[in-house]
Amino acid sequence: MRIFVPIDSAARAVGADAVAEAIAREAEARDIDVQITRTGTRGMIWLEPLVEIDAGEGRVGFGPVAPEDVPALLDGRLDSLGPVDDLDWMRRQTRLTFARCGVIDPLDLDDYRAHGGLAGLRRALGMTREAIVQEVTDSGLRGRGGAGFPTGIKWNTVMQAEAAQKYIVCNADEGDSGTFADRMIMEGDPFTLIEGMAIAGIGVGATRGYVYLRSEYPDAIAAMTRAVGIARQNGVLGGSVLGSGHAFDMEIRTGAGAYVCGEETSLLNSLEGKRGVVRAKPPLPALEGFLGKPTVVNNVISLATVPVIFEKGAAHYAGFGLGRSRGTVTLQIAGNVARGGLFETAFGLTLGEVVNDIGGGTASGRPVKAVQVGGPLGAYMPVSKFDTPMGYEEFDGAGGLIGHAGLVVFDDTADMLRMARFAMEFCAIESCGKCTPCRIGAVRGVETIDRIAAGDPAAADLLTDLCETMKDGSLCALGGFTPFPVMSALTQFPDDFACRKEAAE
Amino acid sequence: MHVNAPAPTAEDIRAVVVPLTSLEGPLLPMLHAVQHAWGHVPQAAVAVLADVLNLTRAEVHGVISFYHDFREAPAGRHVLKICRAEACQSMGGEALAAAALDRLGIGWHDTTANGAVTVEPVYCLGMCACAPAAMLDDRVVARLDGARMGRLLDEAGA
């Protein structure tokens, strides 16, 4: 009998290790032959720790399982959720990037191969550089880190640049609240990121890669570090990738707790060992990136999606989606939500379907008040905008941004003035200090919101003006997008700002 | 490292950082290595790193002070990082953190009088679908409530 218990840090954070230990102990006591495999998570975080048992007829799920449930689990007295692949949450997804996550042992390269791993890289090795880049362009893949820039165009710029050394840099500085897809894939299927980076390197002519991984993710750092070592031992990385004669190798680098290093130019400065201060663009990192050399900087999910594009073909990938948002979006449903987790699907579902239908509404059972989409720099969307389809242009049109596709749900107890104040406070704490609108503006923003709270009637106009200045005058998205949460809170939830004024009067 | 351990000498620090010199962009890995060895980045490291990397001491200080992770003095025996980001706030993280600080009688970034715990804010541990969350040393704990937070504090000896 095979038993699968997730090793993902979210599962561990709610007790998966204790469950795995209890299974081993109880199985021994009962003298049953059990093989325990630690996998990534399926993404159904509300069911974690989710244990799967395969007694020869497919994987059946149980969850959430507590250590004290284990005797009943092994005696067949615990209610099952049914076959995991048949669960509504799983059946409604289009799992391309996350196909293996939660299924395989993350560090078993044979398991990875058996589930389609390395097929994309093998195909890419038979193609010219131009054909590789064209395949990515044809897939319609856009940067999943938040900006949504077409990945193929970026690769093409780097491919055409002449330089003795080029680099692939993976942005794994996933600092946005409400997002955990990068962490999940790095812990649950690290070889897919390695394979994607190798394809990128071969496509643009880069022989070295770096993953800049935030220090808040110790489990992901450990998994990626071990996976790189295994890939190197097995010839996936090194002087001759899969014996092709093409060289590509990579290193994992740990960040140091600076949110702004998720911005690609400050990330590059940090990787070079400098203060993580934003650089002015141009020059583009594609031409003058790491150490001044042409560099592809892509998000984890963008790079981890590359293998499946090559395995199944660009047309297959581009066949999913909505308008200019092609392929799948890895929705991360989080916060005060009944069914939180990762849900990979074609672009196009509406926000309301995601929150109410898939997420099941709030965890508290109270009405939904707002959903912050796209991290701390994303807008608070009111329920009245729940018909907005999940797509880059569609969200832009509704005054929001899709970002890294994280959604944080708030119930009606949320105080939107406090959330707006927090957005400014966070910007002040994390500002790199290079440009004035962000460095000073965020501090003044906190003060101005405090004036609104104290009943100053002129302060709301001042806040609006300040947000305009930050939006127009900041170098990067930290100062430039902090106005999104602030202004959406102010305009969509005026009662939270007005009632204080009246109360003060 | 024990809080009363002797401060490392320049030679001790050099021995830790010199093997990393061949890396591209070696300063952050070196700072992590120093902090891993001594629990903080001692003042003596600034001159050593400046010398090894041919930087000014001001440049090295500038890098150390930019990042939240690097500390100039040792922390308590345990570090408890409590998430303050939006997803945890939506599940009552703010009140949970306030109660924990209240019980310890300290503020953010402070260490308890017995030296057991330093409490720091963190902005997202990637536990947004099982919030609120905290990290005790390298161990992440999620779906926290008052009782579980209390057990964490007990465990840390606070």
Side-chain angles (χ1 to χ4, degrees):
Chain A
M1 181 161 67
R2 290 192 73 184
I3 299 188
F4 302 85
V5 185
I7 199 167
D8 179 275
S9 56
R12 296 183 65 207
V14 295
D17 288 353
V19 170
E21 283 160 23
I23 292 171
R25 199 172 49 237
E26 292 290 333
E28 199 181 326
R30 283 169 174 70
D31 202 22
I32 337 175
D33 184 25
V34 161
Q35 187 197 343
I36 300 173
T37 302
R38 301 299 297 264
T39 62
T41 173
R42 296 271 196 165
M44 296 179 279
I45 306 296
W46 83 98
L47 292 176
E48 294 291 359
L50 172 70
V51 175
E52 295 175 39
I53 297 187
D54 186 349
E57 290 167 9
R59 288 161 72 156
V60 176
F62 300 84
V65 176
E68 51 270 26
D69 297 329
V70 169
L73 175 76
L74 292 181
D75 295 343
R77 290 183 284 111
L78 198 66
D79 286 340
S80 90
L81 301 162
V84 175
D85 289 327
D86 293 345
L87 293 177
D88 188 52
W89 175 280
M90 296 305 295
R91 281 165 47 137
R92 291 174 63 184
Q93 295 187 63
T94 304
R95 288 258 212 189
L96 298 177
T97 309
F98 282 81
R100 283 177 293 263
C101 193
V103 177
I104 66 167
D105 173 347
L107 293 172
D108 184 338
L109 193 59
D110 292 328
D111 213 1
Y112 180 70
R113 275 197 207 96
H115 287 81
L118 299 181
L121 177 57
R122 281 185 208 287
R123 178 167 166 241
L125 286 168
M127 296 163 73
T128 63
R129 280 186 186 179
E130 287 76 10
I132 291 173
V133 173
Q134 190 61 45
E135 187 81 359
V136 175
T137 306
D138 292 344
S139 75
L141 179 66
R142 293 168 67 174
R144 296 287 188 254
F149 188 81
T151 306
I153 294 179
K154 194 183 270 185
W155 285 25
N156 192 46
T157 309
V158 178
M159 180 186 72
Q160 291 186 345
E162 295 286 340
Q165 180 68 53
K166 302 180 191 177
Y167 295 98
I168 307 297
V169 170
C170 172
N171 183 346
D173 198 43
E174 183 178 51
D176 288 349
S177 177
T179 65
F180 46 87
D182 296 356
R183 181 186 62 65
M184 229 179 97
I185 199 99
M186 290 188 290
E187 292 176 3
D189 192 15
F191 292 123
T192 195
L193 176 57
I194 293 170
E195 184 180 351
M197 288 179 71
I199 295 172
I202 288 152
V204 306
T207 54
R208 255 181 247 169
Y210 291 93
V211 179
Y212 185 92
L213 217 171
R214 64 200 296 263
S215 61
E216 292 86 346
Y217 284 176
D219 286 17
I221 293 169
M224 284 304 306
T225 304
R226 288 182 61 194
V228 166
I230 293 165
R232 207 175 277 145
Q233 279 163 20
N234 287 277
V236 178
L237 294 172
S240 176
V241 171
L242 297 178
S244 65
H246 290 284
F248 187 78
D249 209 337
M250 59 191 276
E251 271 178 48
I252 309 301
R253 286 291 174 88
T254 306
Y259 173 76
V260 75
C261 289
E263 196 284 331
E264 61 176 359
T265 62
S266 38
L267 185 153
L268 292 169
N269 275 339
S270 184
L271 202 56
E272 290 179 9
K274 298 173 183 159
R275 291 166 67 88
V277 172
V278 172
R279 297 177 184 172
K281 288 191 268 192
L284 294 172
L287 297 172
E288 290 180 40
F290 183 55
L291 300 172
K293 298 289 191 289
T295 304
V296 168
V297 185
N298 276 153
N299 168 257
V300 173
I301 300 301
S302 311
L303 287 164
T305 300
V306 167
V308 74
I309 290 173
F310 280 80
E311 182 194 344
K312 307 220 162 154
H316 181 261
Y317 190 77
F320 300 95
L322 168 78
R324 293 203 293 122
S325 305
R326 307 315 310 171
T328 55
V329 57
T330 46
L331 300 169
Q332 296 133 81
I333 308 168
N336 194 333
V337 67
R339 294 191 291 270
L342 181 133
F343 191 93
E344 182 177 356
T345 183
F347 283 97
L349 284 178
T350 66
L351 178 58
E353 287 174 308
V354 175
V355 172
N356 291 324
D357 191 18
I358 300 169
T362 62
S364 60
R366 302 181 65 96
V368 174
K369 178 166 184 175
V371 182
Q372 189 178 29
V373 185
L377 308 177
Y380 285 101
M381 306 288 279
V383 176
S384 60
K385 292 194 178 183
F386 268 21
D387 57 351
T388 311
M390 302 299 299
Y392 293 107
E393 281 72 25
E394 290 72 14
F395 256 69
D396 193 37
L401 56 114
I402 214 166
H404 194 33
L407 297 90
V408 179
V409 180
F410 291 82
D411 72 12
D412 63 350
T413 61
D415 176 346
M416 301 314 291
L417 181 136
R418 288 185 75 150
M419 298 319 297
R421 187 186 191 280
F422 177 79
M424 283 291 189
E425 184 192 354
F426 181 70
C427 181
I429 293 168
E430 296 298 336
S431 175
C432 82
K434 177 149 177 160
C435 60
T436 319
C438 175
R439 185 184 67 244
I440 311 261
V443 178
R444 295 288 174 262
V446 173
E447 295 166 0
T448 311
I449 293 171
D450 285 344
R451 281 171 57 184
I452 297 177
D456 182 341
D461 288 344
L462 195 59
L463 181 66
T464 306
D465 188 55
L466 174 66
C467 281
E468 282 303 314
T469 305
M470 289 176 71
K471 212 184 235 178
D472 295 339
S474 299
L475 266 178
C476 83
L478 180 49
F481 286 8
T482 293
F484 271 107
V486 175
M487 289 309 296
S488 59
L490 181 65
T491 55
Q492 305 294 333
F493 305 93
D495 290 354
D496 285 9
F497 292 77
C499 62
R500 290 164 195 258
K501 194 160 69 182
E502 282 152 19
E505 283 162 0
Chain B
M1 185 204 78
H2 192 268
V3 279
N4 295 322
T9 65
E11 286 67 43
D12 296 336
I13 295 167
R14 198 173 282 272
V16 166
V17 302
V18 164
L20 302 168
T21 315
S22 63
L23 297 178
E24 294 180 308
L27 184 49
L28 255 63
M30 287 177 172
L31 288 169
H32 277 301
V34 169
Q35 180 148 309
H36 182 72
W38 293 287
H40 69 298
V41 180
Q43 193 57 38
V46 176
V48 174
L49 289 164
D51 180 53
V52 169
L53 297 174
N54 196 25
L55 296 169
T56 66
R57 281 188 283 175
E59 283 170 314
V60 175
H61 173 76
V63 172
I64 296 169
S65 58
F66 183 86
Y67 297 98
H68 298 306
D69 279 7
F70 300 126
R71 48 180 99 250
E72 294 176 1
R77 288 186 292 281
H78 299 282
V79 177
L80 178 66
K81 296 187 177 187
I82 306 177
C83 182
R84 286 196 64 210
E86 287 87 346
C88 285
Q89 288 188 41
S90 78
M91 290 296 282
E94 212 176 354
L96 187 77
L101 290 171
D102 218 36
R103 171 180 152 180
L104 302 177
I106 58 174
W108 292 112
H109 303 286
D110 293 344
T111 303
T112 52
N114 66 0
V117 193
T118 301
V119 179
E120 294 184 336
V122 67
Y123 297 92
C124 200
L125 295 164
M127 298 292 129
C128 317
C130 46
M135 180 153 77
L136 183 63
D137 301 321
D138 258 2
R139 183 163 59 94
V140 184
V141 187
R143 273 184 212 146
L144 279 171
D145 53 22
R148 288 193 80 192
M149 179 65 92
R151 284 201 293 277
L152 267 189
L153 295 176
D154 291 343
E155 192 185 317

